[in-house]
Amino acid sequence: MLKTLGAQVKEFKKASVLTPVFMILEVIMETVIPLLMASIIDDGVEKGDISHIYAVGGWMVAAAAVGLFAGVMGGKFGARASTGFARNLREAMFENIQTFSFANIDKFSTAGLVTRLTTDVTNMQNAYQMILRMCMRAPASLICAMVMAFTINVKLASIYLAAVILLGTCLFFIMNNATKYFQQAFPKYDDMNASVQENVSAIRVVKAYVREEHEISKFHRASGNIYKIFVKAERNLTYNAPLMQFTVYGCILLICWLGAKMIVGTTLTTGELMSLLAYCMNILMSLMMLSMVFVMITMSIASARRITEVLNEKSDLKNPEAPLYEVKDGSIEFRHVDFAYNKESEKPVLQDITLSIRPGETIGIIGGTGSAKTSLVNLISRLYDVTSGQLLVGGKDVKEYDMETLRNEVSVVLQKNVLFSGTILENLRWGNKEATKEECMEACRMACADEFIEKMPEGYETHITQGGSNVSGGQKQRLCIARALLKKPKILILDDSTSAVDTATDSKIRRAFKEEIPDTTKLIIAQRISSVENADRVIVMEDGRIDGFDTPQNLLETNAIYREVYESQTKGGGDFDEKAGEE
């Protein structure tokens, strides 16, 4: 874990080294000042030597100035190192997340990743700054002050030693009890962030069903859990301040009482007593700082583990040593393919899939909910790897291709359509960033998106809000299809991506595909028979297996599932889910 996190210090190593150097210099100056003060009192004030007072006073001012400079520089470099470290952590996590396969992403919740990139990184930033500054300053101050105190008077310095042992033991028990609560707190942020994310993304549904009070109470529960844990932790820490005050004032009273007797007995000077009192505050405040550092580090350990999990997670999809950078054609072949999202699953999602698709064919895929239609097409662009068997695209195993090359040639319009904030043109150019406006317009014409774009006042410069909330579901689907067409792929996969458009527009889109991109292999997942009845062949999926694969006409005669759905839909009946319900 330390090695993984330490690798992200990178260009801020110099600042990370200079910070403790300046902190130690500041401590040295703070340690020297009480000695100079003792010299002024003993050798200057009591002897009436004004020149000595001025000389030593000048050295005190110089020491204070050097200490101030060191403190400022320590703060400057510490801030630079900690904020830079936090920036590198965020960038490294985000970059690594971009390499994740779907299987890797499935291991983390969206809210959990957001918490790691925000709250957990902030905790690490604060902890790193505390380590660079306080973790060096406090022990150095404690050691220097103890050494100087024992140099002045062993008997009185022993009071400090006893106070340190007593205070250290008590602080250990306080911190130990508080630590377990802090470790429980940060995973709870995931629950709270998940509540917020779910509510905001589904705000229209919340308002439509008048569930605002339910969502508020759910957030209150998540927020209340964090509150309760922190209250328990802080309750333990409340003993810290009174214990500290008791120890400090107890030491001061003992030193003043015993020191006064020693001054009367001429075994201690007034200046030395003043120095010991100054060192008393240095020693005990160092312990206080160490206790706070310990709390901060304890809080950050849980965050460090969570960040390390993301940084150490490596994609289970990797390029081969000598990848292929060209896909010959759009042919697809499954050879006894099994697939499971979890390799330890007893039953695979896809079982013994064997089929061959020729380049340029239009293939329909139908099946009930949960029949693994989407899982089947996800393997083609290698969003997941097959568990067993072999999958070939363009006559080569998909594992032999460079993944970027393969995915550029296999364009997928996902079941859940996503648009990004920006203009329509900017969204379309996700498919091809070099595309001209004319190419974008042509893609929109094929996807029947030009019909509504040209009616908008700003046309292709119309701004799309985040998630595409200012366009309808059907408009969003057609824009996503146009975006996929701009890639000019050899294989085009439509995962139920015309479900929100009317049948007439659906028919126009399919006709445009047939006329404009005849050489592109087209896989159309659909619930409507009308979307696949003109396909060259249709795959009928049932419970992760291929129940039928033939022309629509032949399936109507030979496949009971296809025939039943065809008849129910053409007669105004139901759909796959209705059929599943009857079973």
Side-chain angles (χ1 to χ4, degrees), residues 162-214:
V164 166
I165 294 172
L166 173 65
L167 191 59
T169 304
C170 294
L171 288 176
F172 172 78
F173 287 109
I174 292 172
M175 296 302 111
N176 191 46
N177 287 331
T179 296
K180 58 185 179 184
Y181 294 114
F182 284 123
Q183 288 176 336
Q184 295 170 15
F186 294 106
K188 295 294 181 182
Y189 278 107
D190 291 354
D191 297 334
M192 187 174 71
N193 285 346
S195 176
V196 174
Q197 180 195 1
E198 187 177 56
N199 177 267
V200 173
S201 61
I203 192 67
R204 288 169 176 79
V205 178
V206 172
K207 290 188 176 296
Y209 285 89
V210 197
R211 298 286 285 176
E212 291 92 341
E213 290 299 325
H214 170 75

Side-chain angles (χ1 to χ4, degrees), residues 513-551:
F513 286 172
K514 186 174 183 179
E515 295 171 358
E516 304 286 346
I517 50 172
D519 297 329
T520 298
T521 304
K522 296 164 283 290
L523 278 68
I524 303 172
I525 297 176
Q527 295 290 341
R528 294 190 300 219
I529 287 292
S530 60
S531 297
V532 299
E533 62 182 351
N534 293 320
D536 296 318
R537 289 186 288 174
V538 175
I539 300 170
V540 180
M541 300 289 296
E542 177 72 9
D543 195 26
R545 295 178 180 273
I546 295 179
D547 190 76
F549 183 33
D550 209 334
T551 63

